[in-house]
Amino acid sequence: MIARLRRIRSASPFQAVLIGGFTALAAFMSLPIIFIFSHAFKPQNELFLFPPRFFVQHPTLRNFESLFLHASNATVPFTRYLFNSIVVLSLTLASVIIVSTMAAYVLAKYRFHFKALILSMITLSLMFAPETVSIPRYLIVSGIGLNNTYFGHVLPSLASPVAVFMLVGFVSQIPNDLIEAAKIDGAGHVGIFARIVLPLSAPAIATISILTFQTVWGDVETSTLFMQKEAMRTLAFYVNSLLSGLQNNVAGQNMAAAAGLLIFIPNLIIFLLFQRKVLESMVHSGIK
């Protein structure tokens, strides 16, 4: 910390202007985050003040109490939705990381027929919006009988073109000499993958973990299309249905503010934990 302060003091005028400008920009971009936290703790009367206030004047936990009381009166308890989200998120994260990394390793380091065609199809799939494949996904999931199962949540996210595309570029930078040396030492494909590819791909894996987390945590499509039983739906679906039901309900806006904060906090925590790895993957240009 002292070393950083010394560097700032010894900075040139141009560097000082840059530091001040980026600091002001960072503060400005953090305003929506501050507002989400402040809004969730506003009492009912402050939510509808005009002109509206950015910061809460009299913070209260009443909003969260109302949200949990509303959930306790529902057919399925709030904890069930939360449990489903945690299970689905854990299974999806592990599956996407393993499948995408293995696919990227093969595509980046091995030669086989139709490799260029497969890479082209992966790149082409990035152009499709998720809504365009909703019907095929429903037909596949229903056809193999995965409705109302946890794997029905996981399967649509298992093939992640973004993750494979990002990892192929990252794994291709791993020196071939390093892999050949491991083969000479007697390491098999599994050993090379577990001891070399996975550790050296940690920054890219952290990046796709954040992207997958954000997608799965806020996903309502699988619960809407593939889950007919309310007990198999996720927290994002419950919050989305709650918010849509409270759009014209003045008395329920406090619950909507609290629910929005609960959905946002996990995304913020995951990003703060892995931000260094994400930045490393963005500027990564080679492996020493």
Side-chain angles (χ1 to χ4, degrees):
M1 186 65 181
I2 297 177
R4 291 182 180 179
L5 291 175
R6 290 178 179 175
R7 290 179 183 177
I8 294 175
R9 290 177 181 177
S10 61
S12 64
F14 178 74
Q15 291 176 333
V17 171
L18 284 180
I19 293 173
F22 283 120
T23 302
L25 181 62
F28 176 76
M29 295 182 67
S30 65
L31 290 179
I33 299 176
I34 298 174
F35 178 78
I36 291 176
F37 279 89
S38 176
H39 195 66
F41 292 96
K42 288 181 179 179
Q44 191 76 15
N45 60 327
E46 290 188 28
L47 290 173
F48 298 96
L49 284 178
F50 186 84
R53 294 177 180 175
F54 189 86
F55 295 102
V56 57
Q57 300 297 318
H58 303 91
T60 179
L61 295 175
R62 181 72 179 177
N63 300 342
F64 296 93
E65 294 177 3
S66 300
L67 176 62
F68 292 132
L69 287 175
H70 183 275
S72 63
N73 295 327
T75 306
V76 178
F78 182 86
T79 52
R80 178 66 186 187
Y81 292 111
L82 180 61
F83 174 78
N84 290 341
S85 291
I86 294 175
V87 172
V88 171
L89 184 62
S90 302
L91 293 176
T92 305
L93 269 178
S95 302
V96 169
I97 290 173
I98 294 174
V99 172
S100 300
T101 311
M102 292 176 67
Y105 172 53
V106 173
L107 291 171
K109 293 302 181 183
Y110 290 91
R111 296 180 180 179
F112 52 90
H113 296 294
F114 306 111
K115 174 181 176 179
L117 177 62
I118 294 174
L119 289 173
S120 300
M121 293 178 64
I122 292 174
T123 305
L124 181 64
S125 63
L126 296 173
M127 301 172 59
F128 291 93
E131 293 78 11
T132 60
V133 294
S134 296
I135 295 177
R137 283 178 176 176
Y138 176 78
L139 294 176
I140 293 173
V141 172
S142 300
I144 58 181
L146 293 180
N147 286 349
N148 300 313
T149 63
Y150 287 118
F151 197 64
H153 284 282
V154 177
L155 185 61
S157 303
L158 192 58
S160 178
V162 176
V164 176
F165 181 80
M166 182 178 296
L167 282 165
V168 166
F170 206 94
V171 175
S172 62
Q173 298 180 30
I174 298 178
N176 293 326
D177 295 340
L178 186 62
I179 296 178
E180 293 297 329
K183 291 181 179 179
I184 293 174
D185 290 339
H189 295 296
V190 177
I192 294 173
F193 176 76
R195 298 180 181 180
I196 297 178
V197 176
L198 283 179
L200 293 179
S201 303
I205 292 175
T207 304
I208 66 173
S209 297
I210 292 177
L211 296 176
T212 304
F213 182 94
Q214 293 176 340
T215 302
V216 176
W217 182 253
D219 179 52
V220 298
E221 180 181 330
T222 55
S223 295
T224 304
L225 296 180
F226 312 136
M227 305 298 142
Q228 288 74 45
K229 294 181 180 179
E230 191 69 23
M232 291 302 300
R233 288 170 169 166
T234 60
L235 181 62
F237 175 85
Y238 170 73
V239 172
N240 183 74
S241 60
L242 177 66
L243 296 181
S244 61
L246 296 176
Q247 287 179 353
N248 298 318
N249 188 349
V250 174
Q253 292 305 307
N254 58 339
M255 291 188 290
L261 179 61
L262 290 179
I263 289 294
F264 172 74
I265 285 179
N267 288 309
L268 179 63
I269 294 175
I270 291 297
F271 178 76
L272 293 177
L273 289 176
F274 294 104
Q275 61 173 336
R276 290 188 178 181
K277 293 293 184 181
V278 174
L279 295 175
E280 185 178 344
S281 67
M282 295 301 179
V283 302
H284 186 79
S285 59
I287 298 177
K288 298 181 180 179

